[in-house]
Every structure is written in C-alpha cells, then in structure tokens.
Amino acid sequence: MSPKITTELLKQLRQVMKSPKYVQEPVQAYIVPSGDAHQSEYIAPCDCRRAFISGFDGSAGTAIVTEQHAAMWTDGRYFLQAAHQMDNNWTLMKMGLKDTPTQEDWLVSVLPEGSKVGVDPFIIPADQWKRMSKALRSAGHDLVPVKENLIDIIWTDCPQRPCKPLIVLDLSYTGVSWRDKIVALRSKMAERKVLWFVVTALDEVAWLFNLRGSDVEYNPVFFAYAVIGMNTIRLFIDGDRMMDPAVREHLQLDSTLEPEFKIRVMPYGSILSELQAVGAGLSPKEKVWLSDKASYALTEAIPKAYRYLTPYTPICIAKAVKNASETEGMRRAHIKDAVALCELFNWLEKEVPKGTVTEIIAADKAEEFRSQQKDFVELSFATISSTGPNGAIIHYKPVPETNRTLSVNEIYLLDSGAQYKDGTTDVTRTMHFGTPSAYEKECFTYVLKGHIAVSAAIFPNGTKGHLLDSFARSALWDCGLDYLHGTGHGVGSFLNVHEGPCGISYKTFADEPLEAGMIVSDEPGYYEDGSFGVRIENVVLVIPAETKYNFKNRGSLTFEPLTLVPIQTKMIDVNLLTQKECNWVNDYHQKCREVIGAELERQGRHEALRWLIQETEPLIRVQ
Amino acid sequence: MSPKITTELLKQLRQVMKSPKYVQEPVQAYIVPSGDAHQSEYIAPCDCRRAFISGFDGSAGTAIVTEQHAAMWTDGRYFLQAAHQMDNNWTLMKMGLKDTPTQEDWLVSVLPEGSKVGVDPFIIPADQWKRMSKALRSAGHDLVPVKENLIDIIWTDCPQRPCKPLIVLDLSYTGVSWRDKIVALRSKMAERKVLWFVVTALDEVAWLFNLRGSDVEYNPVFFAYAVIGMNTIRLFIDGDRMMDPAVREHLQLDSTLEPEFKIRVMPYGSILSELQAVGAGLSPKEKVWLSDKASYALTEAIPKAYRYLTPYTPICIAKAVKNASETEGMRRAHIKDAVALCELFNWLEKEVPKGTVTEIIAADKAEEFRSQQKDFVELSFATISSTGPNGAIIHYKPVPETNRTLSVNEIYLLDSGAQYKDGTTDVTRTMHFGTPSAYEKECFTYVLKGHIAVSAAIFPNGTKGHLLDSFARSALWDCGLDYLHGTGHGVGSFLNVHEGPCGISYKTFADEPLEAGMIVSDEPGYYEDGSFGVRIENVVLVIPAETKYNFKNRGSLTFEPLTLVPIQTKMIDVNLLTQKECNWVNDYHQKCREVIGAELERQGRHEALRWLIQETEPLIRVQ
C-alpha cells in the first residue's frame, strides 16, 4: 500500500474554500466527515469523500483541512491503515489516546481569530453540529453550513449516486403491509401528539414501504427520504425506478385510494425545500418528529420550537421486533446459510492441507456456496477470512497484500454473512485444520463458555441487552483475559446486518429493552496480537422462557440460536466445560444435525452431510 | 398511625407565600424538597421541613403547595406510608406510575398564567433547578428563589440546627494528614486549571479535615462548608466547636504556619456572601469547581462562565479509595462487629423459642452488643429488624405498630451496622430459628449464589460496578425470580454508610470504575410480599486478583469480604450449589472461625465462640 498523493487535491480544496463562487464568505477550515446524508454505516462510492481527499478509506474517520493543516481523526482499529494510506500532508489524530486533541480543541488551537469553519449541513448529524458549534462559538469562531459540498466540486471523476432498480417484498416476507405500517406509525405519532414524521435513515424507508434496493453494497437499501403526515405520504426518490410496474402496483400509485394512503412521489433532492415548507406552515403545538441523528440541514428546516427529536424513531423500534413471517424467513435464511457453510468447511478440510487455499480463495468459495442458495441476493458485509495472526485483527478483510494461505498449523477465523430475500445472516466460526495447541483450545473454550452464557441466559422481560454483556466475559475474566469489542448487535430482516435499537455491549449506550422477536448477534472473542483470533458468533432470536416461578408476573426471556453451524469440537477442551455447558453444545449440535442435515439431504449434498454428522458427534465429559 | 392534620399549617404557609414581608412578589406555588443545604441523604430534624408541613416522613419525597392544592411526589417504597401519614388536604403523586404527572407538568396544569413558583435556593440542587426552571419558563411561568425558607417561618417550634462537639481523627485512623489531603486536592485543581474548590457535601468536609461530628444521626458529620483556594483555606462552621483545644491543635489554628495551610474559620452562614465575593473577583479563565449537585444558591454565586461542575468531586473520588490505615481500621471494625453479631445470634437462638423477643428487642440487643465494642460511636443506619412478612418490606424499620415477635416458624432478616472510630459496618443476615421450608431454602440458596458470584468475581482493572450487577441476579433469573434494588453501594470509612462514586447496580448511573481500595456492599436479596424476605450482605474490599494470564497488562481485581459473620448453613440447599460455590462458603466460614474465633476467645466470649464453631461446620456436597 503506497499512500495517496494529495498535495494537488488539498491545493484545490483550499482554493474553493476561499472562492466566492462556492462559499458566501471564505472558510478557514473545512470538515469532511465519514457519513452520507442518511448517517448510514455503509456508504456508496459517491459518498466516500473523506477517502477521496485523504486516501484513508477505513469505515470511521473525520478529516479537517485548514489553510495550513490537514488532519485525520480515527480510532485504534485504523491507526496503522490510516498511517499507510495517507501522505505526509496529513497529520494522524489517534482518538482514544490521552494526548490527542478533540477536533474542537485542535481547531481552536490552529485557527486565526474569528474564523469560519465550514461543513456540509447534509452530512453532519444535528447532535454533532450542536456540540461543535457551541465549542467553536465559545472560542470566537463560527461553524457555518456550506451548501455545496466542496469535495464534490474538486472530485471531477466522482462516481454517480447509484439509482438501481427496486425489489418489491411481498407480504409473505414482510408479514405486514406498508399501509398497516403507516397506520401503526400514525398511531405512535398521535400518542406523542406529533403531526409529521421525517424518515431519514435508508433502512427505515426500505422497511416502511416493504421495498429493497441495491444502492449501497451489502445493505439492500435505496436513496430516499419520506415525510409522513397524518393524512399525507411523501416519498423522495430519484430515477425511473417508480416507472417499474411492480413497484407502482405495490405502492398502488395508479389506484384510486383513500387520500391518506396516496403516496406523492417527489425528487430526492426536493426534501429540504419540502420540509422547509412543512416547517413554515406549522402552528403552535404542531410538532415534527425527527431522529436526533438526522442531518443538521433537515433538522434546521423545522423551527426549533416545533421539533420533536428522539434517539430512536418509532420505525427503528418497530423494525427491531420481527413478526412471525420475518422470523420464519430468518430461520429459512439461516438454514440455507448453514448449508453453504457445511459445504465450505467440508471443502476446506480437504483443500487446506494441499496448501493452495488463501484467505481470498476461501472467502470467494464461501460466497460461491451461498450464491447457490435460493433467494440469495448478496453478501451482508465484507467477509472476514483470516488465518493465524490476521485473525487477531478484529475488522480484517483480506487484500492481496495481506492474503495468507490457510494451513494445518494455524487457526482460521471466518466471519461472514449474506442477504437472502427472506433474511440476513452473520456467523463466525473459528476452526483448526490440523491439531490445535492446548493454549489455543483453552482460549477457544473460554470464548465458547461466554457464548453459551449469553445464549442460555434467562432474564426478565424489560432487561436491556447491556446487562448481559458481562456474562460473555466472565470465563475470560476469570483467567485475566478479555476482548475489546461489544458482544452483540441487532440484525435486520433482509436489511442492514447492524441495526438498533438493541444490542449487547459493555458500553452504556441508550439501548432499548430486549423483547421477544428481537434478533441480535452473540459474538464473544479472544485476540492475541500477532498470533491468532477466536470468535464464535451466532445470530439469536429473543423468545419467551419458561421458568419455575414468575416474579411479579413479569415473564422471562431467553435466546434461540437461528445460526445452526457446528462449533468445531476439536477446539474444545471438554474438561473446562461444566456439565450444563457440555449439554448445551450437544443439544445445539443435535439440532444442527436434524435441521441442517434434513436440508443437506433435500439438496442432495451428501458429502457435506457426512461432514456435518462427523462434526456434531456428542462431547463426552469425564467427571 | 393517624395522619397529621395540616389544614392550619397550609393556611399559614399560603399566607406567607403572599406576604411582602417574606417574598418580593407573591408566589403561586412553593416547593418543599426533601434535602438539606448539603444534599445529604440523612438529614437533621431541623431540615425535615417536608415532614413538618405534610406529616409524611419517608426518606424521599417532594411537596408542592399552591393556593388551591397540596401534592406530594414519592416513590413505590412509600406509597402506603405517605397515604397513612397525610390528611386529605394532600394529593399523593405516585412516581413511577404511568399516569402520574411530573412536578413540572402538574404545576403547568394547575397554575394561573404567568405564575411564580418559589423554592429555597439553598435546598434545591443546581441541576434540578435548571430542569424545572426551563420547563416552567417554556410554559410562561417563573421559578424564583425565595431567600427565607417559608416553612421555617411557620415552624414555630423548629428544633435548632445541631452543633455538637467535633471528634479529631488522628493519623493512625486516617493514614493521611489533612495538610496532605489539601496538597493532593490542589494538585487535582491545578490539573483541571481550576483556582477554587467549594466543598459542599458534609462527608467531604469531614474527610478533608480528618474531623467527625454528630450533627446528623447515623452519619458522623457536622454542618460546615469549605472553600479551598490555591493559597487559602476557609472553613465555614458555627458554634464554639473551634474553641476545643484538641480541634485547634489538630487544625494548627494557633501555630505559625505556611500561609497556604492557614485555616480561616468563618461563620457557617457566611458561605454565600464569601462565595459571591470570590465570584466577583475572578478574571477570565479563573474557574471555580463545584459538584453539579451543589445548591442553586451556591452555584449561582459564581458567574456561569467561571463554573467548573462535575458529577463527582475530586474529594469524593479520593475518599472512595481507602488507604492502608483506613483499610486496617475497616478490618478491625468488622471484626468487632462480627463479635457483636455472634453474641446476638447465639442469644437469639436461645431466646426466640421462648416467644419473648420482638423485632425491636432484637434490634436493641444488637445495639447493646455493638456498644460493648471498643471505639463504638453509634449505629450507621436505623436497624432493619424484620421477621416473616415484614422481611419483604425492603426499607422496613420496626415501630410499635408493626413490631412482630420472632418465632421458630418465620424467617428473620437483620440488616444493621455501626460507626466505630476505625470504620463503618453494614451487614445483613437472614436466619431461621426453627426448620425452614424447602422453598425458603431454595430462595435463600439462589440469593447466596448471587452473593458469591459477585464476591468471587474476577474482572479487569477499570471495570465499572454496574457491569457486575447481573452476576448477582443470574441464579434468581434462571428460575424467574429477581429483586428490585441495586446490589451494592460504596461504604465510607467512619463516615456515611452510603457513599459514591462507585456501586453495583443495574441502573446505569455514572459510576466511577472500581479500584483496589474501594469498599462496597454485596447484597442481593429476594422478597415475597406478605411472606418473607431474604438478603445476604457483606461489605467487601476491592483487591488485586492473581490470574493465570494478564491481557494487555491491565491487571485484574476481585473482592475480599470484610464482613466475617457466618451465613446460616441451615438455610442452604447444598444440592443447588456448585462445588466451587460450596468451597467458597467453606473457605469463608473457615476464615470467620479463625479471625472472629480468635477475637471471641480474646474477649472471653466463650458461649458465642461455641455458637460460631457450630455455625461454621463445613458444608458437604453429595455429587
């Protein structure tokens, strides 16, 4: 990896920062955040502006360019990568280290008195704007919205914003029609005495209208906004996608419909002016509901007194609780996904000893097997296929420069998943194709104990996921080990593989209580830098639990694994398991045999079936 | 309990609310919070204004009186008690129930347009003022500080503010001199670039100067404030307490001293004017550090631009980490406390079958045995002595109306503690003096498993206590049970039995990470309304843990029980324990035998020693 040469680009950017053609007044600094106008985790190539200006293409980072300086803030996952990808025009600001200044403090330290700091108001979330603006103002500077994105001006070969065809999801997948979703949303709006709701997150638009897209890699979403009133629906979307007869039929665009379900389709770019018109027409006590992470531009369109901001929208919360059709779809998707992985692991077991399988080949093979399954759409994230020391890099993605060959001497970690029309998968298995060392088995077994502790946990209704995080760590903590990431995230239903508002993490974020029907991942790990990584991840469904007693009639919950892929017993030190844990593994493997075995049989995949049977032999614990 | 008749009092209060003699402008509502001017948990009789005006004397509640209404907000612990103690002039506002309005919403609904709402600015914490003031202002009302407390005006027989002699704690107890504490505080102030620190919490003043008092029952504190500058020390305290030669000597009031350690003693009531003078003399960038829970009056004395507010003060954090002298003192105190409890339980075992021991007699007897121990000062909180159904009332305190006789048919729960000059204790034991039922043993054993899970937990340095809370609940959750309180609180060293900034609770409050030297309680429970209560509480010291590995060189921590009182083995269903848990109980009892046995021997308490030996027989688990 050689760094991107950015001297010329920075010169151009500094010119437009002063050009009256693009800015009302010159700006002495320009902020380039990571995100897009929807605060998406995964973004389209046309939104990779920070990567374009700096060369650094990790998933998190903020660039700030002043007349003299160019600085990049990123976190510990990306210190090395950013240092490699950026030339010496750039200063790397290592977030999380004690001596690293915040963006605000740094700006204050380098800016001449009374400076203007520009940012694209569509890219910066309202809550970030507020914090930064306050800090700058108190030091005599101004944060100013720059209407035209200054990177786009100098990015002459910027790719076009994608505008791919839509997929209509019918009722058998979604369980609830978009009309019923609108009705439910309006009733939540009425509860909070809100007249308008602005849908800004791409997965929320997709979920609400039972549509999917492919504008962003891995996330089956499309660029759109929606504004829902008590009697009106406006959908802001570009291209001829609305000409597709299936979409028109689905949205009933050509039917005579009760007016409150009539969808007005408008250009994507008209959201701001339309929202400003809504804002201008409000009378006192008429409120507009927005996510507090919506862009500054859209938030500002509504006068402050009329805004109703929440960290989670009613759509985000409704979307998290899967209905019976979605749950069944997720089950089907996980069965197909397990079939593909049984094929893959069976293939790896034969091929790895030959020394011809690299991380990239293994990842491609995984995709090949998945793509053979019904309703496969695409991967749900970039496959983490990592062997030996690469396994210790938590967000590793094999590239030619790092591509390592799998061998019988190293641990192999595969974290992968796919989008099927009926559901989204995300599974990690850690395997050894030779003989693992006692130490490797010990670490693996602690991670497994943590995985089981969460998966088998019984907890009261209303419990927040962060209260379960320590269960996953207890066995590691006992011997002085730990892992530096959360234990689980919400998973969408043929939607984003990471979604709120629930999760399992030591970070006390505002997670919503777990409810039956929610789906999260359970993925503890252990990583030894320069040596190996272990992670065991299932996607699990929150279900009611039967308990002996029922305190205050609250009811209890537990998890059911949707992922049904064998956990390599060769890696387990059975003597470290309790009898209860041993039974959990055996019951889990029994279920894998029954459910996945039947599907392998049905698909005529006999070799993979033999592999499954062999991998699901019961553990025996000698007392 | 008959309710207090408040008709006349409310009439008088409503008169002074309009009297130009006491208020600049009439106030249409007057708020009477629970607290004192130091935001203390336990308050002196002269500060029980809310109890005086309403009759309700629970520990938490806020009264608001308008021209037409009188309303009391309190939480679930006190619904019954408040309903019994208040007459029908009062409306009970049950906090936590869905339909109960907040104080702000209620005020807005009952007040005439443009009302003034009065409150004593010394009693209301600054953060509460801010919230309420904002809500009232947005509805067109005003929150106004009323300088003279309106309750004090009508409270003709109000007790005097206590002003009891001080106790000097010498270095053998405190480990660090007050001068060294001032030096450490000033270095924290320098780190944050702060010039002044205002000590408002009573236990922080006591800790800083190595003095104790008895102005408030159970809490060995005295009414005082302090203002620490980089070169000055001001102590605001009343009475002739500063005439005591021991105190003068301790504070070196009569010595020629470096000026920066010279203490200026000033009247308690002059804090506001002195602080206003400090505030008026500040130049830009000179900051004053206050707790964000300090009173509105004191916070307001410092212009906003000069305030530096934090949830925890540097004294609060330093105080929580006990030094070797304090730890040794706490050990000694707990040994003496255990001796007293062995005597008590031995006595109860003989006396309970006679049917003559009531909850109050048992509580008194506990106090009697404690008072025989060296350096005993007073109890550390009101003894919870509860049998049968009373045990299910978490904050029960026996009074003649509820006083129940202990018997061989009911579970007895005793939660009690004392202040010794060398330390503070807080211990709960749950006993049966006859034969417990299988169900009672089952519940007790789950609680014990939770207690052990926390006590034996190993966790990384830097872990916050709230991450351990679920360990205490896991065994209960498994069979659908739970308890509705936190698992532990910080404990002072011959100071308040409840102190911040650490704790173990499912509530995600801003607890500081656990550190070696911190002391917390470990007290899971189970309560069956109308039937019985179980709680097992030890005070535990955070200590470094030896682990097999040491991830990222972070080091690990665990707990050492300071409380050494047998846990009744009769209540344990051994078959529900794992071998590890069984070993924990046996090791714990072995330590009780050795340490407390030696002290009982030394004190010649042979009968109690025999009881101890019998109660600490090892458990045997049949596999």
Side-chain angles (χ1 to χ4, degrees):
Chain A
M1 272 193 291
S2 55
K4 174 163 182 171
I5 304 305
T6 60
T7 311
E8 192 50 39
L9 282 176
L10 287 170
K11 202 174 132 194
Q12 290 172 13
L13 177 60
R14 286 171 178 137
Q15 272 161 3
V16 297
M17 282 164 60
K18 288 180 288 196
S19 159
K21 200 172 152 193
Y22 305 112
V23 289
Q24 282 195 301
E25 279 184 281
V27 296
Q28 283 70 47
Y30 188 66
I31 305 176
V32 187
S34 270
D36 64 10
H38 305 270
Q39 284 65 54
S40 307
E41 182 188 6
Y42 292 77
I43 56 178
C46 61
D47 286 318
C48 298
R49 300 179 180 97
R50 185 251 302 149
F52 166 77
I53 190 68
S54 69
F56 166 55
D57 67 0
S59 74
T62 299
I64 304 186
V65 176
T66 69
E67 282 163 84
Q68 308 287 337
H69 306 274
M72 175 69 68
W73 281 258
T74 190
D75 63 63
R77 290 174 294 170
Y78 294 116
F79 291 166
L80 270 179
Q81 181 180 333
H84 282 140
Q85 294 183 320
M86 299 192 307
D87 68 10
N88 54 20
N89 286 301
W90 289 85
T91 308
L92 178 57
M93 297 294 189
K94 299 181 173 182
M95 287 164 67
L97 300 198
K98 235 179 64 182
D99 296 331
T100 305
T102 63
Q103 294 162 24
E104 296 90 322
D105 286 349
W106 180 80
L107 278 167
V108 169
S109 74
V110 303
L111 286 178
E113 228 168 276
S115 286
K116 308 254 175 249
V117 177
V119 67
D120 181 340
F122 269 96
I123 306 296
I124 189 167
D127 54 352
Q128 269 179 44
W129 170 285
K130 198 172 160 186
R131 203 174 50 241
M132 176 151 293
S133 170
K134 195 176 160 186
L136 290 176
R137 204 167 38 238
S138 80
H141 306 295
D142 260 330
L143 185 63
V144 296
V146 178
K147 222 174 148 188
E148 226 175 320
N149 191 294
L150 300 186
I151 300 295
D152 292 358
I153 292 162
I154 61 168
W155 194 356
T156 45
D157 57 346
C158 173
Q160 277 223 305
R161 182 162 302 279
C163 193
K164 307 254 184 75
L166 302 182
I167 302 169
V168 167
L169 270 197
D170 71 43
L171 209 56
S172 65
Y173 292 110
T174 66
V176 179
S177 70
W178 64 262
R179 287 178 54 146
D180 287 344
K181 289 182 180 178
I182 295 274
V183 170
L185 173 61
R186 284 180 177 149
S187 105
K188 289 276 169 206
M189 288 160 62
E191 256 176 40
R192 310 286 186 107
K193 300 192 177 110
V194 155
L195 284 192
W196 299 91
F197 178 78
V198 186
V199 197
T200 55
L202 298 183
D203 62 336
E204 297 191 11
V205 179
W207 180 86
L208 183 61
F209 292 103
N210 292 334
L211 291 169
R212 297 295 186 267
S214 52
D215 288 355
V216 179
E217 200 181 6
Y218 306 125
N219 289 181
V221 296
F222 50 92
F223 285 102
Y225 293 102
V227 176
I228 312 300
M230 293 310 279
N231 298 298
T232 58
I233 304 172
R234 285 177 240 193
L235 177 60
F236 300 80
I237 186 166
D238 275 350
D240 52 6
R241 307 191 268 199
M242 288 293 135
M243 294 298 108
D244 178 342
V247 173
R248 296 196 74 78
E249 162 80 26
H250 171 73
L251 295 179
Q252 297 178 266
L253 294 181
D254 305 311
S255 330
T256 39
L257 208 64
E258 305 94 302
E260 67 266 34
F261 293 112
K262 194 84 196 157
I263 298 175
R264 248 177 88 195
V265 178
M266 312 184 78
Y268 177 70
S270 67
I271 174 74
L272 183 61
S273 55
E274 278 298 314
L275 210 51
Q276 282 164 338
V278 165
L282 295 170
S283 2
K285 298 218 166 179
E286 291 187 354
K287 296 263 182 187
V288 178
W289 197 341
L290 283 146
S291 162
D292 66 1
K293 273 146 219 90
S295 69
Y296 174 72
L298 295 192
T299 308
E300 228 19 48
I302 305 301
K304 201 172 169 189
Y306 302 134
R307 287 177 212 154
Y308 180 73
L309 305 182
T310 57
Y312 296 113
T313 70
I315 296 187
C316 173
I317 293 169
K319 177 164 63 63
V321 182
K322 274 70 177 175
N323 60 44
S325 308
E326 290 171 322
T327 307
E328 278 318 301
M330 286 293 267
R331 275 187 221 283
R332 284 196 306 276
H334 281 83
I335 292 171
K336 294 182 285 189
D337 209 57
V339 164
L341 285 185
C342 288
E343 284 280 14
L344 175 76
F345 291 133
N346 174 53
W347 181 83
L348 285 175
E349 225 155 70
K350 288 182 308 182
E351 300 299 320
V352 168
K354 300 178 189 163
T356 53
V357 183
T358 65
E359 293 167 340
I360 293 177
I361 291 175
D364 290 346
K365 200 77 188 171
E367 181 165 3
E368 181 190 324
F369 283 124
R370 282 190 163 108
S371 68
Q372 295 167 1
Q373 294 297 316
K374 184 168 172 252
D375 279 344
F376 171 84
V377 179
E378 60 172 335
L379 298 186
S380 57
F381 57 98
T383 298
I384 300 174
S385 170
S386 56
T387 183
N390 288 342
I393 302 166
I394 296 173
H395 289 90
Y396 180 75
K397 179 194 159 178
V399 288
E401 292 85 351
T402 62
N403 193 19
R404 222 175 148 82
T405 301
L406 278 64
S407 86
V408 295
N409 304 313
E410 286 183 347
I411 289 183
Y412 176 63
L413 185 159
L414 178 74
D415 185 350
S416 61
Q419 300 286 2
Y420 301 90
K421 250 184 108 173
D422 38 15
T424 302
T425 67
D426 179 1
V427 44
T428 309
R429 286 296 180 267
T430 305
M431 322 272 289
H432 203 295
F433 299 105
T435 308
S437 73
Y439 178 62
E440 288 167 338
K441 288 172 68 176
E442 183 185 356
C443 295
F444 183 94
T445 308
Y446 295 144
V447 173
L448 175 62
K449 287 167 83 81
H451 179 93
I452 296 172
V454 169
S455 195
I458 293 173
F459 49 91
N461 248 318
T463 301
K464 294 184 169 193
H466 70 257
L467 292 172
L468 308 179
D469 183 75
S470 298
F471 290 155
R473 298 175 200 275
S474 179
L476 287 161
W477 283 357
D478 273 346
C479 58
L481 302 180
D482 197 6
Y483 54 96
L484 301 181
H485 59 72
T487 300
H489 53 80
V491 178
S493 178
F494 183 31
L495 257 182
N496 297 356
V497 73
H498 295 160
E499 68 169 28
C502 53
I504 302 175
S505 177
Y506 60 96
K507 294 171 199 150
T508 31
F509 65 109
D511 54 338
E512 289 287 309
L514 294 171
E515 273 183 61
M518 284 181 169
I519 291 178
V520 295
S521 70
D522 169 15
E523 46 180 317
Y526 174 68
Y527 310 93
E528 195 137 312
D529 285 348
S531 182
F532 66 89
V534 170
R535 185 160 62 250
I536 304 172
E537 174 186 24
N538 281 351
V539 168
V540 296
L541 171 68
V542 182
I543 57 168
E546 292 298 320
T547 53
K548 189 170 174 186
Y549 306 111
N550 187 8
F551 180 66
K552 303 257 180 211
N553 265 316
R554 282 194 301 179
S556 294
L557 299 171
T558 187
F559 297 111
E560 176 198 328
L562 296 178
T563 306
L564 292 172
V565 177
I567 294 164
Q568 198 178 39
T569 51
K570 184 203 280 185
M571 287 292 293
I572 301 175
D573 181 342
V574 185
N575 298 318
L576 295 177
L577 296 186
T578 64
Q579 189 56 53
K580 225 173 123 183
E581 289 162 344
C582 195
N583 294 345
W584 185 94
V585 173
N586 289 341
D587 292 347
Y588 179 72
H589 278 159
Q590 182 59 30
K591 192 165 175 198
C592 291
R593 252 194 207 189
E594 285 168 14
V595 178
I596 309 306
E599 181 66 13
L600 285 167
E601 183 78 53
R602 207 187 59 76
Q603 296 193 16
R605 296 175 182 271
H606 301 297
E607 213 182 310
L609 175 59
R610 270 195 301 279
W611 177 87
L612 172 70
I613 301 289
Q614 155 211 315
E615 287 294 306
T616 51
E617 278 300 316
L619 292 175
I620 296 157
R621 188 168 157 269
V622 188
Q623 293 253 337
Chain B
M1 273 193 290
S2 56
K4 174 163 181 169
I5 303 306
T6 59
T7 311
E8 191 49 39
L9 284 176
L10 288 171
K11 202 175 132 197
Q12 290 172 13
L13 177 59
R14 285 169 179 140
Q15 272 161 3
V16 298
M17 283 163 60
K18 288 180 290 193
S19 158
K21 200 169 151 196
Y22 304 112
V23 291
Q24 282 194 302
E25 279 185 280
V27 296
Q28 283 70 47
Y30 188 66
I31 305 177
V32 187
S34 271
D36 64 10
H38 305 269
Q39 285 64 56
S40 308
E41 182 188 6
Y42 291 77
I43 56 178
C46 61
D47 286 318
C48 297
R49 299 179 180 96
R50 186 250 302 149
F52 167 77
I53 190 68
S54 70
F56 167 54
D57 68 359
S59 74
T62 298
I64 303 186
V65 176
T66 69
E67 282 163 83
Q68 308 286 337
H69 306 274
M72 175 69 68
W73 280 259
T74 190
D75 64 62
R77 290 174 294 168
Y78 293 117
F79 292 166
L80 269 179
Q81 181 181 333
H84 282 142
Q85 294 183 322
M86 299 193 306
D87 68 9
N88 54 19
N89 286 300
W90 289 86
T91 308
L92 178 57
M93 296 294 188
K94 300 181 173 183
M95 288 164 69
L97 300 198
K98 234 178 65 182
D99 296 331
T100 305
T102 64
Q103 293 161 25
E104 296 89 323
D105 286 349
W106 181 81
L107 278 168
V108 169
S109 74
V110 303
L111 285 178
E113 230 168 275
S115 287
K116 308 254 174 249
V117 177
V119 68
D120 181 340
F122 269 96
I123 305 298
I124 190 167
D127 54 351
Q128 270 179 44
W129 170 285
K130 200 174 159 185
R131 204 176 49 242
M132 175 148 296
S133 168
K134 196 177 159 186
L136 290 176
R137 203 168 38 241
S138 80
H141 307 295
D142 259 331
L143 186 63
V144 297
V146 179
K147 223 175 148 188
E148 226 176 317
N149 191 295
L150 300 186
I151 301 293
D152 293 357
I153 292 162
I154 61 169
W155 194 356
T156 47
D157 58 346
C158 174
Q160 278 224 304
R161 182 161 303 281
C163 193
K164 307 253 183 76
L166 301 182
I167 302 169
V168 168
L169 271 197
D170 71 42
L171 209 56
S172 64
Y173 292 110
T174 65
V176 180
S177 71
W178 64 262
R179 287 179 54 145
D180 287 344
K181 289 182 179 178
I182 295 275
V183 170
L185 173 61
R186 284 180 177 148
S187 107
K188 288 278 170 207
M189 288 160 62
E191 254 176 41
R192 310 284 186 107
K193 301 194 177 104
V194 155
L195 285 192
W196 300 91
F197 179 79
V198 186
V199 197
T200 54
L202 298 183
D203 63 336
E204 296 191 13
V205 179
W207 180 86
L208 183 62
F209 292 103
N210 292 335
L211 291 170
R212 297 295 185 269
S214 52
D215 288 355
V216 179
E217 201 180 5
Y218 307 125
N219 290 181
V221 297
F222 51 93
F223 285 102
Y225 293 101
V227 176
I228 312 300
M230 294 310 278
N231 299 297
T232 58
I233 303 173
R234 285 177 238 192
L235 178 60
F236 299 81
I237 186 167
D238 275 350
D240 52 6
R241 308 192 269 200
M242 288 293 136
M243 293 298 107
D244 178 343
V247 172
R248 296 196 75 78
E249 163 79 26
H250 171 73
L251 296 179
Q252 296 178 268
L253 295 181
D254 306 309
S255 330
T256 39
L257 208 63
E258 305 94 300
E260 67 266 33
F261 294 112
K262 194 83 198 158
I263 297 175
R264 248 178 87 194
V265 178
M266 311 184 78
Y268 177 71
S270 67
I271 174 74
L272 184 60
S273 55
E274 277 298 314
L275 210 52
Q276 281 164 337
V278 165
L282 296 169
S283 4
K285 297 217 168 180
E286 291 187 353
K287 295 265 185 189
V288 179
W289 197 340
L290 284 146
S291 161
D292 65 1
K293 273 146 217 91
S295 69
Y296 173 73
L298 296 192
T299 308
E300 227 21 47
I302 305 300
K304 201 172 168 188
Y306 302 134
R307 288 179 212 153
Y308 181 73
L309 305 182
T310 57
Y312 297 113
T313 70
I315 297 187
C316 173
I317 292 168
K319 177 165 61 65
V321 181
K322 274 69 179 175
N323 60 44
S325 308
E326 289 171 321
T327 307
E328 278 319 300
M330 285 293 265
R331 275 188 221 283
R332 285 197 305 275
H334 280 83
I335 291 171
K336 293 182 286 189
D337 210 56
V339 165
L341 285 186
C342 287
E343 283 282 15
L344 174 77
F345 291 133
N346 174 53
W347 181 83
L348 284 176
E349 243 177 38
K350 288 184 307 184
E351 299 299 320
V352 167
K354 300 179 190 161
T356 53
V357 184
T358 65
E359 292 166 341
I360 293 176
I361 290 175
D364 290 347
K365 199 77 189 171
E367 182 165 1
E368 181 191 323
F369 283 123
R370 282 191 163 105
S371 68
Q372 294 165 2
Q373 295 298 315
K374 182 165 173 253
D375 280 344
F376 171 84
V377 179
E378 61 172 335
L379 298 185
S380 57
F381 57 96
T383 297
I384 299 174
S385 171
S386 56
T387 184
N390 288 342
I393 302 166
I394 296 172
H395 288 92
Y396 180 77
K397 180 193 159 180
V399 288
E401 291 85 350
T402 62
N403 193 19
R404 224 175 145 81
T405 301
L406 277 64
S407 86
V408 294
N409 304 314
E410 285 183 347
I411 290 184
Y412 176 64
L413 185 159
L414 179 75
D415 185 350
S416 61
Q419 300 286 2
Y420 302 90
K421 248 183 110 172
D422 38 15
T424 303
T425 67
D426 180 2
V427 44
T428 309
R429 286 296 179 268
T430 304
M431 324 271 289
H432 203 295
F433 299 106
T435 307
S437 72
Y439 178 62
E440 288 166 340
K441 288 171 68 174
E442 183 185 357
C443 294
F444 182 94
T445 309
Y446 295 144
V447 173
L448 175 62
K449 286 166 85 81
H451 179 93
I452 297 171
V454 170
S455 195
I458 293 173
F459 49 91
N461 249 317
T463 301
K464 294 185 169 191
H466 69 256
L467 292 173
L468 308 180
D469 183 75
S470 298
F471 290 155
R473 299 176 199 274
S474 179
L476 287 161
W477 282 356
D478 273 347
C479 56
L481 304 180
D482 198 4
Y483 54 96
L484 301 182
H485 59 73
T487 301
H489 53 81
V491 179
S493 179
F494 183 31
L495 257 183
N496 296 358
V497 73
H498 296 160
E499 68 169 28
C502 53
I504 302 174
S505 177
Y506 60 98
K507 293 170 200 151
T508 32
F509 64 109
D511 54 337
E512 289 287 310
L514 293 171
E515 272 184 60
M518 284 182 170
I519 292 179
V520 294
S521 70
D522 170 14
E523 46 179 318
Y526 175 68
Y527 310 93
E528 195 138 309
D529 285 348
S531 182
F532 66 89
V534 170
R535 186 160 64 250
I536 304 172
E537 175 186 25
N538 280 351
V539 168
V540 296
L541 170 69
V542 181
I543 57 168
E546 293 297 321
T547 53
K548 189 169 174 189
Y549 307 111
N550 187 7
F551 180 65
K552 303 259 179 209
N553 265 315
R554 282 194 301 180
S556 293
L557 299 171
T558 187
F559 297 111
E560 177 199 327
L562 297 178
T563 305
L564 292 173
V565 176
I567 294 164
Q568 198 179 39
T569 51
K570 183 203 281 184
M571 286 292 294
I572 302 174
D573 182 344
V574 185
N575 298 319
L576 294 177
L577 295 185
T578 63
Q579 189 57 54
K580 227 173 122 183
E581 289 162 343
C582 195
N583 294 344
W584 185 94
V585 172
N586 290 340
D587 292 347
Y588 179 73
H589 279 159
Q590 182 59 31
K591 194 167 174 195
C592 291
R593 250 192 209 190
E594 285 169 12
V595 178
I596 309 306
E599 182 65 15
L600 285 167
E601 184 77 55
R602 207 187 59 75
Q603 296 192 15
R605 296 176 183 269
H606 300 298
E607 211 182 315
L609 177 57
R610 269 195 301 279
W611 178 87
L612 172 70
I613 301 289
Q614 152 211 316
E615 288 294 306
T616 51
E617 278 299 316
L619 292 175
I620 294 157
R621 188 167 157 272
V622 187
Q623 294 255 336

